[in-house]
Coordinates of all heavy atoms in Angstrom, one line a residue:
D174 N -16.8 -8.6 -3.6 CA -17.8 -7.9 -4.3 C -17.1 -6.6 -4.8 O -17.5 -6.1 -5.9 CB -19.0 -7.5 -3.5 CG -19.9 -8.7 -3.2 OD1 -19.8 -9.7 -3.8 OD2 -20.5 -8.8 -2.1
W175 N -16.2 -5.9 -3.9 CA -15.5 -4.8 -4.3 C -14.6 -5.1 -5.6 O -14.5 -4.3 -6.5 CB -14.7 -4.2 -3.2 CG -14.0 -3.0 -3.5 CD1 -12.6 -2.8 -3.6 CD2 -14.5 -1.7 -3.6 NE1 -12.4 -1.5 -3.8 CE2 -13.4 -0.8 -3.8 CE3 -15.9 -1.2 -3.5 CZ2 -13.7 0.6 -4.0 CZ3 -16.0 0.1 -3.8 CH2 -14.9 1.1 -4.0
D176 N -13.9 -6.2 -5.5 CA -13.0 -6.5 -6.5 C -13.8 -6.8 -7.9 O -13.4 -6.4 -9.0 CB -12.2 -7.8 -6.2 CG -11.3 -7.6 -5.1 OD1 -10.9 -6.4 -4.9 OD2 -10.8 -8.5 -4.5
A177 N -15.0 -7.5 -7.7 CA -15.8 -7.8 -9.0 C -16.3 -6.6 -9.6 O -16.5 -6.4 -10.8 CB -16.8 -8.8 -8.6
A178 N -16.7 -5.6 -8.7 CA -17.3 -4.3 -9.2 C -16.3 -3.4 -9.9 O -16.6 -2.7 -10.7 CB -18.0 -3.7 -8.1
A179 N -15.0 -3.6 -9.5 CA -14.0 -2.7 -10.0 C -12.8 -3.4 -10.4 O -11.8 -3.4 -9.6 CB -13.7 -1.6 -8.9
P180 N -12.7 -4.1 -11.4 CA -11.6 -5.0 -11.9 C -10.5 -4.1 -12.3 O -9.3 -4.7 -12.5 CB -12.1 -5.9 -13.0 CG -13.2 -5.1 -13.6 CD -13.9 -4.3 -12.4
G181 N -10.7 -2.9 -12.5 CA -9.7 -1.9 -12.9 C -10.2 -0.6 -13.1 O -11.4 -0.4 -12.9
P182 N -9.4 0.3 -13.7 CA -10.1 1.6 -13.9 C -11.3 1.5 -14.9 O -11.2 0.7 -15.8 CB -8.9 2.4 -14.7 CG -7.7 1.8 -14.1 CD -8.1 0.3 -13.9
A183 N -12.2 2.4 -14.7 CA -13.5 2.2 -15.4 C -13.3 2.5 -16.9 O -13.6 1.5 -17.7 CB -14.5 3.1 -14.8
I184 N -12.8 3.6 -17.3 CA -12.8 3.9 -18.7 C -11.3 3.5 -19.2 O -10.3 3.7 -18.6 CB -12.8 5.4 -18.9 CG1 -14.2 5.9 -18.4 CG2 -12.6 5.8 -20.3 CD1 -14.3 7.5 -18.3
F185 N -11.3 2.7 -20.3 CA -10.1 2.2 -20.7 C -9.7 2.4 -22.2 O -8.5 2.0 -22.5 CB -10.0 0.7 -20.4 CG -10.9 -0.2 -21.3 CD1 -10.4 -0.6 -22.5 CD2 -12.3 -0.3 -20.9 CE1 -11.3 -1.4 -23.3 CE2 -13.0 -1.1 -21.7 CZ -12.5 -1.7 -22.9
A186 N -10.6 2.9 -22.9 CA -10.2 3.0 -24.5 C -10.7 4.3 -25.1 O -11.9 4.4 -25.5 CB -10.6 1.8 -25.2
C187 N -9.9 5.4 -25.2 CA -10.2 6.5 -25.8 C -9.1 7.6 -25.7 O -8.8 7.8 -24.7 CB -11.6 7.1 -25.5 SG -12.1 8.5 -26.5
R188 N -8.7 8.2 -26.8 CA -7.7 9.3 -26.7 C -7.9 10.2 -27.9 O -7.0 10.5 -28.8 CB -6.3 8.8 -26.6 CG -5.3 9.8 -26.2 CD -3.9 9.2 -25.9 NE -4.0 8.3 -24.8 CZ -3.1 7.4 -24.5 NH1 -2.0 7.2 -25.2 NH2 -3.2 6.6 -23.4
P189 N -9.0 10.9 -28.0 CA -9.2 11.9 -29.1 C -8.6 13.2 -28.9 O -8.3 13.6 -27.8 CB -10.8 11.9 -29.2 CG -11.1 11.9 -27.8 CD -10.2 10.9 -27.1
N190 N -8.6 14.0 -29.9 CA -8.2 15.5 -29.8 C -9.6 16.2 -30.2 O -9.9 16.2 -31.3 CB -7.1 15.8 -30.7 CG -6.7 17.3 -30.6 OD1 -7.3 18.0 -29.9 ND2 -5.7 17.7 -31.3
L191 N -10.2 16.7 -29.3 CA -11.5 17.4 -29.5 C -11.3 18.9 -29.9 O -10.5 19.6 -29.1 CB -12.4 17.3 -28.3 CG -13.0 16.0 -28.0 CD1 -13.8 16.0 -26.7 CD2 -13.8 15.4 -29.0
L192 N -11.9 19.3 -31.0 CA -11.9 20.8 -31.3 C -13.0 21.5 -30.6 O -14.2 21.0 -30.6 CB -12.0 21.0 -32.8 CG -10.9 20.2 -33.6 CD1 -11.1 20.5 -35.0 CD2 -9.5 20.6 -33.1
V193 N -12.6 22.5 -29.9 CA -13.6 23.2 -29.0 C -13.7 24.6 -29.3 O -12.6 25.2 -29.7 CB -13.5 22.9 -27.5 CG1 -13.5 21.3 -27.2 CG2 -12.1 23.4 -27.0
A194 N -14.8 25.3 -29.0 CA -14.8 26.7 -29.2 C -14.2 27.5 -28.0 O -13.7 28.7 -28.3 CB -16.4 27.1 -29.4
D195 N -14.2 26.9 -26.9 CA -13.8 27.7 -25.6 C -13.1 26.7 -24.6 O -13.8 25.9 -24.1 CB -14.9 28.5 -25.0 CG -14.4 29.3 -23.8 OD1 -13.4 29.0 -23.2 OD2 -15.0 30.4 -23.6
V196 N -11.7 26.6 -24.6 CA -11.0 25.7 -23.8 C -11.5 26.0 -22.3 O -11.6 24.9 -21.6 CB -9.6 25.9 -24.0 CG1 -8.9 25.1 -22.8 CG2 -9.1 25.2 -25.3
G197 N -11.7 27.1 -21.9 CA -12.0 27.3 -20.5 C -13.4 26.8 -20.1 O -13.5 26.1 -19.1
A198 N -14.4 26.9 -21.0 CA -15.6 26.3 -20.7 C -15.6 24.7 -20.8 O -16.2 24.0 -20.0 CB -16.7 26.7 -21.8
S199 N -14.8 24.3 -21.7 CA -14.6 22.7 -21.8 C -13.9 22.2 -20.6 O -14.2 21.1 -20.1 CB -13.9 22.4 -23.1 OG -14.6 22.6 -24.2
L200 N -12.9 22.9 -20.1 CA -12.2 22.5 -18.9 C -13.2 22.5 -17.7 O -13.1 21.5 -16.8 CB -11.0 23.4 -18.5 CG -9.7 23.2 -19.3 CD1 -8.7 24.2 -19.0 CD2 -9.2 21.7 -19.1

Side-chain angles (χ1 to χ4, degrees):
D174 294 334
W175 183 252
D176 293 340
I184 302 171
F185 70 90
C187 187
R188 192 171 295 167
N190 185 354
L191 293 179
L192 303 182
V193 300
D195 186 328
V196 165
S199 293
L200 283 175

